[in-house]
């Protein structure tokens, strides 16, 4: 092994592979030469059978046939067919002579020459006897001819035929013996071929294993150490002392490892600096920050977050649900890690209240997924935006709107009553110009009164002053009540108002008047924004554990850029048919939200809009 390994180490990989293949080719040639030798040896045995004994067998068979034909010629003569007998005699006389000549000059077995001589001398006397019978002059009398045939010719014919049969038997027996020898030689050749093949295979296997070990052992060593390097163990050094391509590759790997080790050291330094800068940046942020991995486990908390949830050292690696114990934050992070499973629209999210240091702070959680350059999810970062001051401003604004609406409603009602009295002529008849002025005042005061009522309703809903009075209500009754409320308006405008109500929908848990108000508001908007001859459809169906109400129209539609803001306060679509102050949909959203449902809208400009909202089923709430 060491000798072969030394020889191979001092040659190039190409030469090593060529030498290993040449050894296998040489062994293959040895096996082929042995097989060819056995093939030619068997061929010579078969050739001897055909060249010697087979010729004698054919000759003996021809002599027997010729004798039988000559004997038949003699019987033809006895029957009086002399010419036919003479013709057959002449034809078979030469045939027998040729066959006997072949046999006499192809003596291969013991006793065969004696039989050939006896056949020659016996046939000479027999042919003369037959000639005498056929060519006697004058011809023999019939009785004498038969007597001559049976007493002389037939015994000679039988003796010659028996001698020819003996020649045939001797040569056939020789063929059988030669066949047995050929078979034995074939078996011996097969055994020799098998032995040579097995020997060559074992020898080839021996050399192949030696050569494979000599050539591939360093490659295996190189591969194993390369895997270690690939796994990050850059302290590996490949010790292969060869002058071939494998040695060159090992040296290249060692140089590459040195450079990778230096590069990793540099990257570690840069990463350490970047991590320190990142930690410092997160720590210096005023808002609490939570960083998780892709499995939702806490990786880092900044100083502000530690003040809310505890020290980072005790929380690293803990699932975020166990670390922060705030469902709002957990849901935000889950939505960031699994955006395809997002269940809440952004518009449904609200600040969460946290009490720290004796004060109540409002935070708005926002989470964003962290992705690498390939788009692989690394984790999520959640920032708790402190919106305490905004919440306070919103509270002050709501209180101001509530107070202002309440205080303004009394003078507005007084002005509205005064205008109505003037319009009815309580202080005398009005001129046409005065009538127009009073009518305009009535319209403006009525719009202002509706605005005051809407503002008061909004502030009461948001502050919880007038909470919903929940009850089990059949959803079909809600639909029917809303249809009755707007059917006159739809009919006056020439609109088709239809409903599609699914059967067997359980009762919903709702404040009947508030949900009817939502549905009436949606239907009123549909009537207002649908041209004459249009169609409005109200649908009611079950959506898992909720009942879904849907209002679809064939009206003007809503521009795409306004859809995300359509449920905000005072938002009105430019160019839309005049209506309220843009509070109706905002109030509808607040009502649906306090019922635990959702509301959304789809629209295509010029083709119509579809508004839908869900209300939980009373049955599902009771089961929970």
């Amino acid at each position: 092994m060491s000798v072969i390994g030394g020889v191979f180490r001092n040659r190039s990989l190409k030469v090593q592979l060529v030498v290993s293949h040449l050894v296998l080719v040489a062994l293959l040639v040895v096996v082929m030469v042995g097989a060819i030798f056995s093939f030619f040896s068997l061929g010579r045995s078969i050739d001897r059978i055909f060249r010697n004994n087979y010729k004698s067998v054919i000759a003996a068979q021809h002599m027997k046939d010729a004798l039988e034909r000559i004997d038949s010629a003699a019987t033809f003569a006895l029957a009086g067919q002399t010419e036919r007998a003479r013709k057959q005699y002449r034809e078979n006389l030469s045939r027998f002579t040729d066959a006997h000549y072949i046999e006499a000059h192809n003596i291969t077995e013991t006793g065969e020459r004696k039989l050939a001589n006896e056949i020659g001398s016996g046939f000479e006397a027999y042919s003369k006897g037959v000639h005498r019978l056929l060519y006697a002059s004058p011809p023999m009398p019939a009785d004498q001819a038969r007597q001559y045939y049976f007493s002389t010719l037939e015994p000679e014919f039988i003796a010659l035929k028996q001698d020819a049969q003996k020649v045939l038997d001797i040569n056939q027996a020789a063929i059988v013996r030669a066949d047995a020898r050929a078979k034995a030689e074939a078996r011996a050749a097969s055994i020799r071929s098998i032995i040579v093949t097995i020997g060559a295979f074992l020898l080839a296997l021996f050399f192949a294993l030696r050569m494979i070990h000599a050539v591939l052992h360093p490659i295996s060593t190189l591969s194993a150490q390369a895997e270690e390097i690939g796994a990050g163990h850059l302290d590996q050094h490949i010790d292969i002392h060869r002058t071939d391509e494998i040695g060159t590759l090992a040296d290249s790997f060692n140089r590459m490892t040195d450079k990778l080790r230096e590069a990793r050291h540099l990257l570690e330094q840069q990463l350490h600096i970047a991590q320190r800068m990142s930690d410092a940046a997160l720590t210096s942020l005023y808002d609490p920050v939570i960083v998780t991995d892709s499995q939702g486990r806490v990786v880092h908390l900044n100083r502000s977050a530690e003040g809310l949830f505890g020290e980072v050292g005790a929380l690293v690696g803990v699932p975020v649900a166990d670390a922060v114990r705030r469902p709002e934050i957990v849901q935000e992070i889950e939505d960031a890690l699994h955006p395809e499973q997002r269940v809440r629209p952004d518009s449904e999210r609200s600040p969460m209240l946290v009490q720290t240091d004796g004060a109540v702070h409002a935070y708005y959680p926002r989470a964003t997924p962290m992705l690498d350059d390939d788009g692989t999810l690394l984790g999520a970062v959640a920032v708790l935006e402190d919106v305490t001051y905004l919440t306070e401003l919103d509270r002050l604004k709501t209180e101001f709107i509530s107070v202002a609406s309440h205080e303004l409603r009394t003078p507005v009602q007084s002005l509205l009553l005064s205008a109505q009295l003037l319009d009815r002529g309580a202080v005398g008849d009005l001129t046409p110009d005065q009538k127009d002025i009073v009518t305009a005042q009535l319209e403006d005061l009525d719009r202002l009164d509706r605005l005051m009522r809407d503002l008061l309703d909004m502030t009461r809903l948001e502050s919880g002053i007038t909470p919903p009075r929940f009850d089990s209500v059949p959803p079909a009754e809600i639909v029917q009540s809303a249809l009755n409320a707007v059917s006159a308006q739809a009919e006056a405008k020439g609109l088709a108002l239809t409903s599609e109500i699914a059967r067997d929908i359980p009762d919903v848990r709702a404040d009947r008047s508030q949900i009817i108000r939502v549905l009436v508001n949606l239907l009123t908007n549909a009537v207002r924004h649908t041209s004459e001859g249009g169609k409005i459809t109200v649908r009611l169906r079950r959506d898992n554990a909720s009942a879904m109400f849907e209002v679809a129209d064939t009206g003007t539609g809503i521009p795409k850029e306004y859809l995300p803001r359509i449920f905000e306060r005072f938002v009105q679509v430019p160019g839309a048919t005049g209506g309220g102050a843009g509070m109706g949909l905002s109030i509808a959203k607040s009502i649906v939200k306090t019922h635990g449902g959702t509301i959304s809208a789809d629209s295509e400009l010029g083709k119509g809009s579809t508004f839908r909202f869900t209300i939980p089923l009373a049955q599902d709430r009771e089961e929970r």
Side-chain angles (χ1 to χ4, degrees):
M1 175 71 77
S2 60
V3 175
I4 295 177
V7 171
F8 274 80
R9 279 194 296 270
N10 294 327
R11 300 182 183 275
S12 69
L13 189 60
K14 179 179 179 181
V15 172
Q16 296 175 34
L17 294 175
V18 170
V19 170
S20 63
H21 282 78
L22 286 178
V23 171
L24 297 178
V25 171
L27 293 174
L28 181 62
V29 169
V30 170
V31 173
M32 291 179 62
V33 169
I36 292 172
F37 174 78
S38 299
F39 174 77
F40 277 107
S41 176
L42 182 62
R44 286 195 300 271
S45 298
I46 297 173
D47 184 63
R48 284 196 301 272
I49 295 173
F50 278 97
R51 187 176 63 247
N52 299 325
N53 299 99
Y54 186 72
K55 289 172 63 178
S56 296
V57 169
I58 297 300
Q61 188 63 48
H62 286 174
M63 286 190 294
K64 286 178 62 179
D65 292 343
L67 285 173
E68 290 178 353
R69 294 286 184 174
I70 292 172
D71 181 68
S72 296
T75 57
F76 287 154
L78 293 178
Q81 300 180 17
T82 305
E83 290 302 323
R84 181 179 179 185
R86 289 175 179 176
K87 180 180 180 182
Q88 186 165 316
Y89 169 70
R90 289 192 300 271
E91 291 175 354
N92 287 280
L93 179 63
S94 61
R95 182 180 178 192
F96 181 89
T97 303
D98 293 341
H100 181 263
Y101 178 82
I102 292 172
E103 169 58 23
H105 292 81
N106 189 49
I107 304 301
T108 58
E109 304 298 327
T110 303
E112 188 176 1
R113 183 172 297 280
K114 180 180 178 182
L115 287 172
N117 293 335
E118 290 178 355
I119 290 172
S121 58
F123 183 73
E124 183 178 358
Y126 176 70
S127 61
K128 290 181 179 179
V130 174
H131 186 274
R132 178 183 174 187
L133 176 64
L134 298 179
Y135 294 96
S137 181
M140 289 184 183
D143 292 338
Q144 182 183 356
R146 282 194 295 273
Q147 179 63 30
Y148 179 70
Y149 171 78
F150 287 110
S151 61
T152 302
L153 295 180
E154 185 178 32
E156 291 179 351
F157 161 70
I158 293 172
L160 285 171
K161 187 175 180 181
Q162 289 176 347
D163 288 342
Q165 183 63 43
K166 289 178 181 179
V167 172
L168 181 63
D169 293 341
I170 289 173
N171 282 278
Q172 285 181 338
I175 289 175
V176 172
R177 291 194 300 273
D179 178 65
R181 286 195 304 273
K183 290 180 179 178
E185 289 179 5
R187 285 194 297 271
S190 299
I191 294 173
R192 284 196 303 273
S193 298
I194 293 172
I195 293 173
V196 170
T197 301
I198 294 174
F201 172 76
L202 294 176
L203 193 59
L205 183 62
F206 173 77
F207 277 106
L209 292 177
R210 289 292 185 93
M211 292 175 184
I212 288 172
H213 182 78
V215 174
L216 297 184
H217 178 68
I219 296 179
S220 300
T221 303
L222 179 62
S223 176
Q225 292 180 324
E227 288 182 0
E228 290 291 326
I229 294 172
H233 303 150
L234 299 181
D235 55 343
Q236 294 288 321
H237 185 79
I238 301 175
D239 296 320
I240 297 178
H241 304 288
R242 298 171 66 102
T243 59
D244 57 7
E245 291 87 343
I246 297 176
T248 303
L249 184 59
D251 293 339
S252 299
F253 261 98
N254 288 331
R255 289 194 297 272
M256 179 187 68
T257 304
D258 294 338
K259 293 181 179 179
L260 287 175
R261 191 159 46 244
E262 295 174 1
R264 185 170 70 175
H265 180 67
L266 179 60
L267 286 175
E268 286 175 349
Q269 290 180 336
Q270 295 175 348
L271 182 61
H272 183 64
I273 294 172
Q275 186 173 4
R276 289 174 58 189
M277 293 177 63
S278 175
D279 291 344
L282 289 176
T283 302
S284 62
L285 285 176
Y286 173 76
D287 292 328
V289 177
I290 305 169
V291 182
T292 71
D293 60 15
S294 60
Q295 301 300 317
R297 294 185 291 263
V298 174
V299 175
H300 183 74
L301 298 176
N302 71 344
R303 189 175 300 160
S304 298
E306 285 183 311
L308 295 177
F309 309 114
E311 294 185 1
V312 64
L315 298 178
V316 170
V318 177
V320 68
D322 299 331
V324 302
R325 300 185 182 278
R326 293 302 298 254
E328 303 93 332
I329 302 174
V330 174
Q331 187 62 55
E332 282 289 332
I333 294 175
E334 286 295 325
D335 288 347
L337 294 176
H338 309 287
E340 72 283 355
Q341 300 177 5
R342 186 184 295 267
V343 297
R344 297 185 304 165
D346 291 338
S347 59
E348 293 295 324
R349 304 182 183 192
S350 57
M352 66 176 191
L353 301 179
V354 179
Q355 186 170 0
T356 58
D357 300 330
V360 177
H361 290 263
Y363 293 99
Y364 194 94
R366 297 180 184 274
T368 303
M370 296 187 297
L371 307 174
D372 62 8
D373 294 338
D374 297 330
T376 303
L377 180 66
L378 302 178
V381 56
V383 178
L384 308 184
E385 183 183 358
D386 192 343
V387 293
T388 304
Y389 70 98
L390 294 177
T391 305
E392 183 64 18
L393 288 176
D394 189 65
R395 185 185 68 79
L396 293 174
K397 179 190 66 176
T398 301
E399 289 183 358
F400 171 76
I401 292 175
S402 177
V403 172
S405 300
H406 182 75
E407 295 299 327
L408 288 174
R409 192 174 184 189
T410 299
V412 167
Q413 287 288 341
S414 178
L415 290 173
L416 183 60
L417 178 60
S418 299
Q420 288 174 348
L421 290 174
L422 289 173
D423 184 58
R424 293 173 184 174
V427 294
D429 295 333
L430 301 176
T431 65
D433 291 340
Q434 291 172 338
K435 185 75 171 178
D436 291 341
I437 293 173
V438 171
T439 301
Q441 287 179 342
L442 282 172
E443 291 176 357
D444 291 339
L445 288 170
D446 184 63
R447 187 179 302 109
L448 186 57
D449 183 59
R450 289 200 307 272
L451 176 59
M452 293 299 103
R453 288 199 303 270
D454 288 343
L455 287 173
L456 284 173
D457 289 342
M458 177 63 70
T459 55
R460 288 169 181 167
L461 287 170
E462 290 183 351
S463 62
I465 296 175
T466 57
R469 292 189 294 273
F470 291 108
D471 196 5
S472 293
V473 183
E477 291 184 4
I478 296 175
V479 173
Q480 193 59 49
S481 297
L483 289 174
N484 294 337
V486 299
S487 59
Q489 299 177 40
E491 185 178 354
K493 200 172 179 180
L495 303 178
L497 186 61
T498 61
S499 62
E500 297 175 5
I501 301 176
R503 295 182 179 179
D504 302 328
I505 299 180
D507 292 352
V508 295
R509 180 177 178 271
D511 185 320
R512 179 192 299 266
S513 61
Q514 289 189 358
I515 300 303
I516 291 176
R517 178 178 180 178
V518 172
L519 195 54
V520 168
N521 178 268
L522 297 180
L523 285 169
T524 301
N525 289 342
V527 171
R528 183 183 300 122
H529 297 99
T530 303
S531 301
E532 183 178 354
K535 181 180 180 181
I536 299 173
T537 303
V538 181
R539 300 185 182 93
L540 173 63
R541 60 184 175 86
R542 183 167 181 169
D543 182 32
N544 296 326
S546 300
M548 177 173 284
F549 299 83
E550 190 173 278
V551 177
D553 62 56
T554 59
T556 56
I558 303 171
K560 184 180 297 183
E561 62 271 19
Y562 280 91
L563 275 177
R565 302 177 51 225
I566 198 68
F567 294 101
E568 297 178 7
R569 302 176 193 172
F570 308 110
V571 173
Q572 290 181 310
V573 178
T577 304
M583 295 290 293
L585 291 179
S586 181
I587 293 174
K589 177 183 175 182
S590 297
I591 293 174
V592 171
K593 185 178 179 181
T594 58
H595 280 71
T598 60
I599 187 168
S600 61
D602 295 327
S603 183
E604 187 173 353
L605 198 62
K607 293 187 177 181
S609 305
T610 301
F611 286 79
R612 61 183 62 85
F613 66 92
T614 60
I615 300 297
L617 299 175
Q619 174 184 345
D620 185 67
R621 287 298 184 99
E622 291 172 359
E623 290 176 355
R624 291 185 184 181

